[in-house]
Amino acid sequence: MRLMYIFTIITIYHGLLFKILNVNADTRPTIINVGVVFNFNSTIGEVAAIAIQAGVDDVNADPTILQGSKLAVMMHDDKCNGFTGMVEVLKLMGKQVVGVVGPQCSIIANIISHIAKELKVPLLSFAATDPTISSLQYPYFIRTTLSDAFQMQAVSNFINYYQWRQVIAIFMDDEYGRNGIIALADMLAEIQSKISFKVALPQDANPTDIASLLAGVVQIETRIIILHANELTGVTTLTVAQSLGMMKNGYVWIVTDWLASVLDSRGPLAPQVMQAIQGVVFLRQHIEESAKKTQFVSRWSKLVKMQTKEKLQLNSYGLYAYDSVWVFARALDEYLNDGGNISFSSDPNLQASDGRSGHLNRKAMSIFNGGEILLEKIKDIRTKGVTGLIQFDHDGNRIHPAYEIVNVIDSELKIIGYWSNYSRLSINPPEKLYNKHANYTSISQRLKDVVWPGRTTLNPRDRVFLDNGKKLRIAVPNRVSFRQFVSRNPKTGEIEGYVIDIFTTAIKLLPYHVSYNFILFGDGQSNPNYMDFASIISSDEFDGAVGDIAIVTNRTSIVDFTLPFIETGAVVVTPVKKYSSNAWSFTKPFMNNLWFITVSSFLFVGVVMWVLEHHINEEFSYHDWKKQIVAILSFSISTAFFRHKKNVRSTLGKILLIIWLFVVLIIQSSYKASLTSILTLQQLSTPIRGINSLIETGYPIGYQKGSYLESYMVEELGIPRSRLRALGSPEEYAKALELGPNNGGVAAVVDERPYIELFLSTYCQFTIVGSKFTKAGWGFAFPRNSQFALDMSTAILKLSDNGELQRIHNKWLTNKMCNPTEQETDSKKLHLSNFWGLFVITGISALIAILSFLSITFYHYVHEFGKGTIKGFISYVNSTEEHVQKKLKEKNSQRSNISGVSNTNA
């Protein structure tokens, strides 16, 4: 009975389930229209047509999906043309499609996304990569491929890996090209790089047009080129570039993933094309290996034969197109399983204002009623396809975007690395890193070696010096003073000097040949105005300037400087006078009051030590008062040389002696230092100690004619121009300083340190006071954004590292200065105020010792002798220890005798 009861329940359940399924099946349409929009005559389109048809066939043959409904695809050719594409899509929308696989081209996606939003028809694009097509603006646009935002981030990381800072962008002049390059520019800005030049390719550009555009690129120093185009224009561009010599050593071509589609589907290409792309680096969408991918790839040759296109090979966009069909089918299946139906309604926005239909057929342009629900089903999809995991993030992009970085070497396509938004650059496939901690540090970024154009493995620089056969026009100051730095030899006519040697030595270290001519700048009567150098370079009158040119702010705003080859900085020079030595020079270190206190302290300490020691120490105890005085003096004098031979026995004496010897050490060291300064150094003859005291004096100030220091002192230091005197030579420096401010001369000369060092090597009666009050250096000047300036900076660094800079300096600027520099040269006598703390410590210590000694002695005196007189206490203090002990014994003996007599009487 129980078995019969259970069997009956199961039969009823199956009956109800079969009835429910039949009812649901009855509500499903037999045919569901799906639109497909792409360019029939493109490589991507030809591959996508086969892949989409294969996807539809596989879906219709799978009984587990759609449950009886069949997909019917309607393919329309948009020709990647805005007008044609819009017309074709309008035709397609009139056939009541519930979704569109496509479009292929970004320009079409931008247009028809508005139509899809209005009619609520989802678009699943397998090839529109324009990063500006976002889910916020176009909610019905779903990208089943990768956005160019990720591709441009990969390009940016690649550029940063090689530390390139300037690139050239060549791109299609449409939404796809422009928006991709805009995204690249944003990415480059984050790594402090930039696009220095842009070339927009017209969509109908022929080889002649492209050659004309590339001719301008050849004239630019930047050599890193990004090519973001379509397959036809891109291949033509690379071929033309090769004919113009732009595929040789020094160039870098980074090509986006359009080239991968061409090579994967059509390659190897014609020999002349393959030759043109040698050394090119391009990106290819990375699809991890899986059983589904392997199975579909193995079917491809059979699918191609069915379409009579035997030479067409599979590319990544074909895989994305195939998966797009399955994504749509699975989302549609869930939609139907949840009770959704395929129905359409008229769009009120297409009604004419008078209530009648407008020019468009109202029934043809109808809204898909379930479009919103179906769209959410697509966004929530999570499934495995031939392209791996299919899942969308909150921005509507595929998760785990990744690219392969491929290098063309002969006929081989070598993968040199991978990029993903999880690990950035790596030599390992991204799927092997997803289970590890993400690491974006520069150390973790790795790529294999690249063979660049010209078959070189040496990493190119982002810019090179253009050697167009013309010699560089290098301006050189025609100096009339300080000719060691730069001058024209009157005998040979050659331009020579310290600066010239550095330039000619550095230019030999450049990896390319540079021809140049030195052209003297100036009238030869006086030093030229160095501010004019910056102006003539910025106006293209000269190609650079080589000389003792200070790198200062107002010049760097209009020209580029190399790294400084010598540190400079402004200093102040004033006259000095020497002390004349005499027999009493040894007394000069101390002021008179300091001498008095020092001698007094020695005597005072000697007296205190005698008081503390004489009653217990035989070496301090003499009956003759003359010998006592000699003992005090000898001890005091001996401590000055740490030669005291008298032993100190008392604890208070030892403490005082330690303190006093420390004070003597300080006084002795200071005396030696001050005496050395007096006998060897010089003393300034003016109160000027540096730039600040010079400003306060109000005296006239000399400077070198043509120097930037004139404007610096007026504008930065606020010195009136009326106080400044232009001087043209070292002789004029010396004459003006010797005259002084009261006789038509100057109180000081302000100039850059290298000039002053040369000046002081001849004129020993002057010296530098204070320290440098500006920080600057000399460099070579070139036009803005000049690669030559950067290369020369590198060469200067090499000269510094190998010691060549110092050798050239020693050759021309050997230091023969008479005076020490950058130190206080007037000797100052030591005052009592410099040591009063030490003397106070000594005095307090001595007083404490004396008071302690007297207190202890008085205590013993009272305890032993009872009440006494002051004279008795003084006599007690002056007594030696043996004498005191003798007195005590006599007193004790008397007390014993008195006690014995008393006992007898009793």
Side-chain angles (χ1 to χ4, degrees), residues 339-379:
N341 58 66
I342 308 300
S343 62
F344 297 86
S345 60
S346 59
D347 186 353
N349 292 328
L350 297 178
Q351 300 295 319
S353 59
D354 58 0
R356 297 176 298 172
S357 299
H359 295 291
L360 292 175
N361 187 335
R362 179 176 57 184
K363 293 183 178 180
M365 302 295 292
S366 52
I367 297 174
F368 175 35
N369 295 325
E372 290 188 25
I373 300 176
L374 179 60
L375 177 66
E376 293 304 317
K377 297 292 184 184
I378 295 173
K379 290 182 177 180

Side-chain angles (χ1 to χ4, degrees), residues 107-273:
I107 184 174
I108 308 301
N110 276 282
I111 295 173
I112 70 172
S113 291
H114 297 283
I115 302 174
K117 179 180 179 182
E118 180 67 25
L119 302 180
K120 302 187 185 305
V121 176
L123 302 176
L124 278 76
S125 178
F126 58 88
T129 57
D130 179 358
T132 64
I133 308 176
S134 64
S135 58
L136 293 176
Q137 185 179 7
Y138 306 113
Y140 282 82
F141 177 85
I142 305 296
R143 199 192 321 263
T144 56
T145 185
L146 304 183
S147 168
D148 275 342
F150 299 115
Q151 180 169 208
M152 295 309 170
Q153 188 175 2
V155 172
S156 174
N157 291 157
F158 183 81
I159 291 171
N160 191 48
Y161 179 81
Y162 290 101
Q163 296 297 302
W164 295 322
R165 290 295 171 255
Q166 295 194 37
V167 302
I168 294 175
I170 302 176
F171 57 95
M172 290 299 301
D173 193 14
D174 58 11
E175 284 82 355
Y176 157 75
R178 288 191 300 270
N179 295 333
I181 294 302
I182 290 173
L184 175 61
D186 292 340
M187 302 291 182
L188 292 177
E190 295 178 0
I191 60 171
Q192 287 76 50
S193 297
K194 67 177 181 178
I195 299 175
S196 61
F197 191 74
K198 295 181 181 179
V199 177
L201 300 173
Q203 296 186 34
D204 56 352
N206 56 45
T208 303
D209 297 331
I210 295 174
S212 178
L213 293 171
L214 293 184
V217 177
V218 175
Q219 303 302 317
I220 300 174
E221 294 178 340
T222 304
R223 285 293 182 261
I224 313 302
I225 302 174
I226 314 298
L227 180 57
H228 186 49
N230 58 33
E231 58 185 80
L232 179 61
T233 306
V235 170
T236 304
T237 300
L238 292 173
T239 306
V240 172
Q242 198 266 346
S243 67
L244 294 176
M246 299 176 66
M247 287 292 177
K248 63 183 180 181
N249 188 4
Y251 280 91
V252 171
W253 284 83
I254 305 171
V255 180
T256 50
D257 61 3
W258 63 265
L259 182 58
S261 301
V262 176
L263 293 175
D264 290 345
S265 298
R266 305 286 188 185
L269 305 178
Q272 64 271 21
V273 177

Side-chain angles (χ1 to χ4, degrees), residues 408-451:
V408 181
I409 306 174
D410 296 326
S411 58
E412 179 187 358
L413 304 182
K414 177 185 175 183
I415 298 177
I416 61 170
Y418 301 86
W419 178 91
S420 71
N421 67 337
Y422 185 79
S423 59
R424 302 295 188 262
L425 300 176
S426 172
I427 58 175
N428 297 312
E431 55 270 17
K432 293 184 178 181
L433 304 175
Y434 290 145
N435 59 348
K436 298 181 180 180
H437 179 69
N439 189 351
Y440 300 152
T441 62
S442 58
I443 298 177
S444 68
Q445 306 296 287
R446 292 183 59 196
L447 291 174
K448 297 178 182 177
D449 292 336
V450 179
V451 177

Side-chain angles (χ1 to χ4, degrees), residues 285-590:
Q285 293 160 326
H286 174 69
I287 299 173
E288 65 177 293
E289 298 299 324
S290 64
K292 286 189 174 183
K293 177 185 175 182
T294 302
Q295 183 181 11
F296 184 75
V297 171
S298 64
R299 292 173 53 197
W300 184 253
S301 57
K302 182 178 180 181
L303 294 172
V304 171
K305 288 181 180 180
M306 293 174 59
Q307 299 290 334
T308 65
K309 296 182 179 180
E310 297 182 1
K311 294 184 179 180
L312 189 65
Q313 302 172 47
L314 183 62
N315 60 41
S316 59
Y317 286 106
L319 297 174
Y320 285 117
Y322 179 82
D323 271 351
S324 298
V325 176
W326 274 97
V327 168
F328 179 76
R330 294 191 184 281
L332 186 60
D333 186 48
E334 290 187 18
Y335 169 76
L336 295 174
N337 288 339
D338 289 345
N341 58 66
I342 308 300
S343 62
F344 297 86
S345 60
S346 59
D347 186 353
N349 292 328
L350 297 178
Q351 300 295 319
S353 59
D354 58 0
R356 297 176 298 172
S357 299
H359 295 291
L360 292 175
N361 187 335
R362 179 176 57 184
K363 293 183 178 180
M365 302 295 292
S366 52
I367 297 174
F368 175 35
N369 295 325
E372 290 188 25
I373 300 176
L374 179 60
L375 177 66
E376 293 304 317
K377 297 292 184 184
I378 295 173
K379 290 182 177 180
D380 293 339
I381 201 76
R382 180 183 171 87
T383 185
K384 284 277 190 176
V386 295
T387 58
L389 177 63
I390 303 173
Q391 186 179 356
F392 303 101
D393 61 18
H394 63 280
D395 291 325
N397 294 312
R398 291 279 298 261
I399 66 170
H400 297 326
Y403 288 88
E404 298 168 0
I405 304 174
V406 187
N407 185 204
V408 181
I409 306 174
D410 296 326
S411 58
E412 179 187 358
L413 304 182
K414 177 185 175 183
I415 298 177
I416 61 170
Y418 301 86
W419 178 91
S420 71
N421 67 337
Y422 185 79
S423 59
R424 302 295 188 262
L425 300 176
S426 172
I427 58 175
N428 297 312
E431 55 270 17
K432 293 184 178 181
L433 304 175
Y434 290 145
N435 59 348
K436 298 181 180 180
H437 179 69
N439 189 351
Y440 300 152
T441 62
S442 58
I443 298 177
S444 68
Q445 306 296 287
R446 292 183 59 196
L447 291 174
K448 297 178 182 177
D449 292 336
V450 179
V451 177
W452 305 103
R455 297 183 179 276
T456 178
T457 56
L458 182 65
N459 295 333
R461 294 170 299 170
D462 56 352
R463 295 190 297 173
V464 299
F465 173 73
L466 293 177
D467 188 1
N468 52 16
K470 296 182 180 179
K471 292 186 176 181
L472 292 180
R473 301 161 299 171
I474 304 298
V476 176
N478 191 6
R479 293 196 61 90
V480 296
S481 63
F482 297 108
R483 296 171 60 85
Q484 293 92 330
F485 294 107
V486 55
S487 64
R488 182 176 184 176
N489 191 315
K491 296 181 180 180
T492 64
E494 297 292 330
I495 298 176
E496 59 186 18
Y498 166 71
V499 175
I500 300 301
D501 272 11
I502 291 178
F503 178 80
T504 55
T505 307
I507 207 168
K508 294 177 182 177
L509 299 178
L510 300 182
Y512 46 82
H513 175 71
V514 179
S515 300
Y516 58 89
N517 279 331
F518 288 135
I519 302 173
L520 289 174
F521 179 78
D523 57 12
Q525 303 299 317
S526 61
N527 294 332
N529 188 335
Y530 277 53
M531 191 57 201
D532 293 340
F533 277 104
S535 301
I536 62 176
I537 294 173
S538 62
S539 63
D540 292 332
E541 184 177 347
F542 289 93
D543 300 312
V546 171
D548 44 341
I549 307 171
I551 305 172
V552 293
T553 304
N554 57 354
R555 296 174 185 171
T556 57
S557 61
I558 55 179
V559 296
D560 279 352
F561 280 93
T562 62
L563 290 176
F565 52 83
I566 186 174
E567 291 187 4
T568 59
V571 293
V572 178
V573 175
T574 62
V576 295
K577 66 178 180 180
K578 290 186 177 179
Y579 271 129
S580 58
S581 298
N582 54 53
W584 299 100
S585 295
F586 70 91
T587 63
K588 295 185 180 295
F590 289 175

